[in-house]
Amino acid sequence: MTNSEYSALTEDTLHTRIGEIPAIANHIGGDPSNWTVHEVGDGNLNLVFIVKGTNETVIIKQALPYVRLVGDSWPLPLYRATYEHHALTRQAERDPGSVPQILHFDEVQAFIVMEYLSPHIILRNKMIAGERVEGLGEFLGNFCARTAFRGSELSMASDAKKADVGVFSGNVALPAITEALVFTDPYYAAEMNNHNPVLDPVVASLRGDVDLKAATQQMLLKFASNTETMVHGDLHTGSVMSTDSESRVIDPEFSQYGPMGFDVGMLIANLLMAYFSQPAHRDEATLDGYQAWLMEVTNKVIDQFNAEFANLWNSERTGMLFPAVLFEDQGHSSESALNAVLADIWQDAMGFCGIEMHRRTLSLAHNADFESISDTGLRGGLEARNLMMGRELILNRHGADPSDVITRLAAHYNGKNIL
Ligand code: SR1
Ligand code: MG
């Protein structure tokens, strides 16, 4: 299979084709023709199969040569699977146990065979259903801090880090999607955009806000040029799978070297969109309690990020940045330097957070937190809160304490009728 020309797997052909890979066929177990195969991909880009044999169930994720959400009019390179594979490998080293185990990778066929996570479900769906996940904020804060720190020159040797930046510089097409759909399209009437028409006045005010557009382009400059660490690149609540007490991060095909605040900012935006959408998903008896839990998780992500980053700063600062030779070896504390680095990370994260809140309402790829609300009037009111808070985060990102700002703004906009 490795040397043959790419062709997309189907529920009918998968048995034969995967059955030809002895290690995987043995792992799954039984006669391949008896495997149960279901294509379950509900994301925007790829095929995802659940394959069940007599021994094991596995996931096979295969890239399609086009954007699934749009169709073959929008071609997309298969090489993204290679970068997803690279990223999963690095994330498994940088935060062991945080991502699914890889069982096999086929570069030509652009598929990865990986561990089937069960009974995990997509975190976004859990939040729409009002389910809680124990330890979620701690897990996500650790993941963001460990991957940020251990993929940077705070930790890595410079030659290895720069070589890895070179490796990931080939992942051009997916970051280009982010550069357009996330950072640019929300702020003008781009062709593929769509938004809830009741938002028209709010959208017009955002698109007429020159300071806001300048700020979002400053953030794009950082995203495109700053190679601080390897980022997941698309860390939203659809890229996390959870049980009631265990979580994993999936889908890093958008990975690149980028700013340390990118993933945590995008993630917090998605927690905030879960928060703002709740009045449409919960009854009066459970709404306040569930929104309070979402805010607790958000604050835990921030606290845990800071705690774990500080822990790694003090125990694993082996790279060329802020070396002990300048600080501890001279009897000088590096604490104020750490605090300055964290302040920069959070300033960036707040900007990225606000932009993600905008793009999920104004650009091409919306999220189910809002899209599943059929009453467009109700939905619009909630989306407007999300949009206005996003604006404040972008414009007031300098020098802000992230927990204070997020807690205060979320409570403020959650009670506000904007339309
Ligand atoms: C055309 S791809 C649209 C979105 O789907 C992915 O999950 C990313 O979030 C991307 O921006
Ligand atoms: Mg994805």
Side-chain angles (χ1 to χ4, degrees):
M1 175 173 295
T2 308
N3 296 323
S4 53
E5 208 174 291
Y6 170 88
S7 111
L9 294 161
T10 67
E11 287 184 352
D12 295 333
T13 60
L14 187 142
H15 309 80
T16 318
R17 294 179 62 194
I18 302 298
E20 285 168 6
I21 308 169
I24 297 304
N26 290 336
H27 179 81
I28 298 171
D31 182 340
S33 60
N34 292 328
W35 292 345
T36 313
V37 179
H38 292 300
E39 203 282 312
V40 294
D42 62 354
N44 296 327
L45 302 179
N46 306 295
L47 295 169
V48 179
F49 297 91
I50 298 179
V51 185
K52 187 172 168 16
T54 52
N55 297 340
E56 288 288 346
T57 302
V58 300
I59 289 289
I60 302 184
K61 177 174 176 183
Q62 186 179 36
L64 284 165
Y66 54 84
V67 175
R68 182 175 185 165
L69 171 72
V70 174
D72 54 13
S73 61
W74 185 350
L76 201 60
L78 297 170
Y79 65 61
R80 64 186 188 273
T82 302
Y83 293 100
E84 176 158 0
H85 178 247
H86 285 323
L88 283 167
T89 311
R90 284 153 182 74
Q91 289 164 343
E93 283 166 7
R94 292 170 191 172
D95 188 15
S98 64
V99 296
Q101 194 196 340
I102 298 174
L103 303 168
H104 182 82
F105 172 54
D106 188 319
E107 185 157 23
V108 175
Q109 299 301 327
F111 69 69
I112 302 172
V113 183
M114 62 188 117
E115 176 189 6
Y116 173 56
L117 299 174
S118 174
H120 303 65
I121 63 165
I122 291 289
L123 179 60
R124 196 187 302 285
N125 297 338
K126 272 184 133 30
M127 290 180 166
I128 292 170
E131 294 171 16
R132 289 168 168 79
V133 179
E134 213 180 287
L136 180 63
E138 190 175 5
F139 167 78
L140 292 171
N142 279 336
F143 176 82
C144 291
R146 289 172 184 166
T147 54
F149 189 94
R150 291 179 171 149
S152 78
E153 282 162 297
L154 289 164
S155 163
M156 287 178 79
S158 285
D159 53 355
K161 190 262 185 177
K162 276 156 182 136
D164 220 34
V165 172
V167 169
F168 278 85
S169 68
N171 200 16
V172 175
L174 270 72
I177 291 179
T178 303
E179 288 154 16
L181 290 194
V182 177
F183 286 93
T184 309
D185 292 2
Y187 304 104
Y188 79 108
E191 201 185 330
M192 287 185 298
N193 285 351
N194 70 88
H195 67 258
N196 182 344
V198 305
L199 290 171
D200 278 348
V202 177
V203 176
S205 85
L206 293 177
R207 290 187 180 152
D209 188 334
V210 178
D211 291 341
L212 179 68
K213 290 193 283 188
T216 59
Q217 288 296 301
Q218 270 180 286
M219 297 311 301
L220 174 55
L221 176 62
K222 289 198 174 198
F223 175 72
S225 334
N226 173 337
T227 60
E228 280 171 357
T229 194
M230 189 200 79
V231 299
H232 176 285
D234 195 26
L235 188 54
H236 52 79
T237 48
S239 299
V240 178
M241 294 189 74
S242 301
T243 66
D244 292 345
S245 58
E246 209 246 5
S247 300
R248 306 278 187 96
V249 173
I250 61 168
D251 276 3
E253 65 204 313
F254 281 76
S255 59
Q256 63 172 82
Y257 273 77
M260 290 197 278
F262 185 72
D263 284 341
V264 74
M266 298 285 272
L267 175 68
I268 289 173
N270 282 270
L271 296 174
L272 288 170
M273 288 185 275
Y275 173 89
F276 281 122
S277 67
Q278 287 303 318
H281 301 306
R282 304 276 76 75
D283 58 22
E284 248 180 60
T286 55
L287 176 60
D288 288 353
Y290 197 66
Q291 281 190 316
W293 179 75
L294 287 170
M295 206 38 61
E296 233 175 75
V297 171
T298 307
N299 281 307
K300 187 66 188 171
V301 169
I302 296 168
D303 291 349
Q304 193 64 34
F305 183 97
N306 286 334
E308 183 60 5
F309 198 92
N311 169 42
L312 297 173
W313 177 279
N314 291 320
S315 58
E316 293 187 15
R317 211 168 75 248
T318 51
M320 62 86 175
L321 290 172
F322 302 88
V325 71
L326 290 184
F327 294 94
E328 288 79 0
D329 293 359
Q330 310 294 331
H332 299 155
S333 167
S334 63
E335 201 181 335
S336 59
L338 164 64
N339 290 337
V341 169
L342 283 170
D344 278 350
I345 291 174
W346 285 114
Q347 177 173 310
D348 287 354
M350 293 300 94
F352 294 130
C353 177
I355 291 169
E356 170 74 355
M357 291 164 86
H358 287 168
R359 76 91 170 212
R360 290 289 185 189
T361 319
L362 304 179
S363 178
L364 172 71
H366 292 204
N367 59 24
D369 311 65
F370 290 126
E371 289 303 294
S372 61
I373 305 169
S374 51
D375 177 339
T376 51
L378 172 63
R379 188 175 106 208
L382 304 177
E383 290 173 314
R385 293 172 178 175
N386 170 65
L387 286 173
M388 294 314 288
M389 174 162 171
R391 176 182 173 279
E392 279 215 41
L393 287 174
I394 296 164
L395 291 176
N396 301 319
R397 66 193 186 282
H398 304 279
D401 175 300
S403 283
D404 283 359
V405 168
I406 284 176
T407 307
R408 182 176 52 77
L409 290 179
H412 171 73
Y413 282 105
N414 193 46
K416 203 167 162 73
N417 291 326
I418 293 163
L419 296 179

